[in-house]
Amino acid sequence: MLFQFNVFAESDVSIAKSFEFKSKSLRENRTIVVSLPDGYESSNARYPVLYLLDGVQNLKHVVGSVDVLTRVGSIPPMIIVGIKSKSRMKDFTSTKAAGIEESGGGQAFLNFLGDELIPYIDGKYRTNEFRVLEGHSVAGLFTAYAFMESPNLFDAYIVMGPAFWWNKEEPVREVKSFLSATPKFDKKIYFGVGKEDGNRHALKRFVEEIKAAAPSELVWKHEEFDDEGHMSAPLLNNYFALKFIFSDMKLPQEIKDNFTSKKFLEHEAGIMKKYGSAARQPQEIYVPLAMELIKHKDYAGAVNVFRRNAEAYKMNKYPQNYVWLAEALEKNKEPAEALKVYKQAYELSKETGYGELEKLAKKIAGLKAKL
């Protein structure tokens, strides 16, 4: 690491830090940008990593989408690692093409990711085992090459407007061979493209091969977006790709319809084990579910859901999360615990200026008198 500086979205808001990485395998320095999730410094959580090709160019819109989806609980907080290429044709093509002298360096770039950059990131930051690779255009070509050439390096792939026209649609031929030799492939792959992007036709032929011979356990999706071209589609591609990749975080309808605290807590433990302890449901799931449980007088279940909601959204410092939990505890005949939680709500309300201090003080005094 030679030096470090901030990358700014605005003059006073830093969204990432950048450093020069000296690669032995590539025999050159590479600019790497790293965006850490909110709360990283104050937590002990480990986070999935999104490796973003053309990382400097795409950083702003990807950080924005990740921020929105993380805040609402659609995806887990994650570390974004962007890689800047000096020659895209060199890095992102695995074979030589006539007239493109620098082409064919894809294997060396893949070695750089697997042998150097990923171990460095895992050593420096609190990462968990889940890794995503994202690329657009020729970087999308490389992303597809990566899952065929080194399928265990990443857990999910985002392939956007890929240049599958390369060498007379070489990737379309390669994926057919890959699929025939790979009966099992426990990964997630998202293919996205604008309907005005000329690359959509070769991508469609690539996807047809997957549709015909998808390995067991492969989870994949192909989407085309109206009124979007090659350069405008990545914003939407990235947003919907992330929702797709982490869609298993969402509480299954079966658990909501046939609720037991055991099944609910097992699901929550599962997403935290897979995606890090900061993974969570949207509050739009937790709160209505708990309210419905109260209607059906499953107060213990409501306590479990409201407690999970309060813990998962602790960083928001929203007093009402604790009020809901305290009310459920009262209904579940746990006045001592309810008192503790009402006190938390009171202190948060005082700290944040939320209000309701008089109402909370009365609840606290009333419970104290009962106890």
Side-chain angles (χ1 to χ4, degrees):
M1 189 184 298
L2 301 180
F3 61 88
Q4 187 167 302
F5 57 92
N6 285 334
V7 177
F8 290 104
E10 298 291 345
S11 59
D12 59 348
V13 179
S14 174
I15 62 170
K17 287 186 176 179
S18 174
F19 60 87
E20 290 293 299
F21 187 93
K22 188 173 183 179
S23 169
K24 293 180 181 178
S25 60
L26 296 177
R27 298 180 182 179
E28 61 185 18
N29 293 347
R30 286 302 175 92
T31 299
I32 308 297
V33 291
V34 177
S35 179
L36 298 175
D38 288 344
Y40 178 89
E41 299 298 341
S42 60
S43 82
N44 294 315
R46 292 189 169 273
Y47 300 91
V49 184
L50 170 61
Y51 285 88
L52 179 64
L53 305 178
D54 295 321
V56 174
Q57 174 182 321
N58 291 307
L59 183 69
K60 290 181 183 179
H61 83 82
V62 171
V63 168
S65 292
V66 167
D67 178 63
V68 170
L69 291 170
T70 299
R71 279 190 282 115
V72 299
S74 295
I75 67 173
M78 67 181 70
I79 298 168
I80 301 169
V81 177
I83 305 121
K84 183 177 181 180
S85 288
K86 294 184 177 181
S87 170
R88 300 175 77 244
M89 283 298 177
K90 179 182 177 182
D91 286 344
F92 300 148
T93 59
S94 61
T95 55
K96 286 282 188 181
I100 305 177
E101 187 177 338
E102 285 193 310
S103 59
Q107 183 61 61
F109 187 73
L110 186 60
N111 292 342
F112 160 68
L113 291 179
D115 297 339
E116 294 187 87
L117 184 60
I118 290 174
Y120 174 81
I121 295 296
D122 286 345
K124 183 172 176 60
Y125 301 98
R126 294 194 314 276
T127 65
N128 78 353
E129 295 179 353
F130 197 86
R131 294 193 288 264
V132 183
L133 180 65
E134 174 174 343
H136 170 244
S137 194
V138 286
L141 171 69
F142 174 83
T143 303
Y145 166 73
F147 77 68
M148 289 187 282
E149 182 65 23
S150 189
N152 295 320
L153 194 54
F154 297 93
D155 300 281
Y157 304 83
I158 301 173
V159 180
M160 306 181 297
F164 285 167
W165 49 262
W166 183 258
N167 272 344
K168 299 179 181 180
E169 298 194 5
E170 184 178 61
V172 179
R173 299 190 298 274
E174 288 179 342
V175 75
K176 190 171 184 177
S177 300
F178 171 75
L179 293 172
S180 66
T182 312
K184 183 178 179 181
F185 193 47
D186 183 15
K187 305 292 177 182
K188 282 189 174 181
I189 308 175
Y190 178 92
F191 302 98
V193 69
K195 283 191 176 179
E196 296 178 7
D197 185 346
N199 287 350
R200 67 185 282 259
H201 305 293
L203 171 57
K204 192 170 184 180
R205 286 185 279 276
F206 187 96
V207 166
E208 286 298 325
E209 296 294 343
I210 293 180
K211 192 181 295 184
S216 68
E217 300 189 32
L218 173 63
V219 180
W220 64 279
K221 188 173 186 177
H222 173 226
E223 283 190 298
E224 294 187 346
F225 292 85
D226 292 330
D227 302 318
E228 302 296 342
H230 187 64
M231 297 307 293
S232 63
L235 175 67
L236 293 171
N237 292 166
N238 173 74
Y239 180 87
F240 288 104
L242 290 170
K243 291 189 75 172
F244 165 72
I245 286 168
F246 297 104
S247 57
D248 59 334
M249 283 178 52
K250 190 173 182 179
L251 191 69
Q253 189 63 42
E254 189 277 330
I255 293 180
K256 290 191 276 187
D257 292 342
N258 302 286
F259 182 90
T260 67
S261 289
K262 181 177 183 292
K263 288 191 290 186
F264 170 77
L265 293 173
E266 283 176 351
H267 176 80
E268 297 298 286
I271 65 172
M272 288 189 284
K273 181 179 180 180
K274 185 174 182 180
Y275 299 126
S277 59
R280 62 196 180 184
Q281 303 291 323
Q283 285 197 285
E284 288 88 344
I285 288 179
Y286 288 137
V287 176
L289 173 60
M291 294 294 190
E292 192 66 23
L293 291 170
I294 285 175
K295 282 183 186 178
H296 290 88
K297 298 185 178 180
D298 184 354
Y299 302 129
V303 166
N304 283 321
V305 177
F306 275 135
R307 180 172 283 125
R308 171 72 175 129
N309 174 67
E311 290 170 351
Y313 288 90
K314 186 186 299 183
M315 286 176 57
N316 291 1
K317 294 188 174 182
Y318 184 44
Q320 186 61 42
N321 287 337
Y322 297 89
V323 173
W324 284 322
L325 174 57
E327 289 171 346
L329 285 163
E330 277 193 277
K331 290 181 183 295
N332 202 43
K333 298 181 180 179
E334 298 181 68
E337 283 299 309
L339 177 59
K340 291 178 187 176
V341 177
Y342 274 125
K343 286 179 178 179
Q344 285 179 280
Y346 181 88
E347 293 302 320
L348 269 181
S349 189
K350 191 162 63 172
E351 178 186 341
T352 61
Y354 177 74
E356 303 287 337
L357 287 176
E358 185 177 344
K359 181 179 176 181
L360 289 169
K362 285 181 179 178
K363 290 295 299 186
I364 290 168
L367 280 173
K368 280 182 176 178
K370 288 180 182 179
L371 292 169

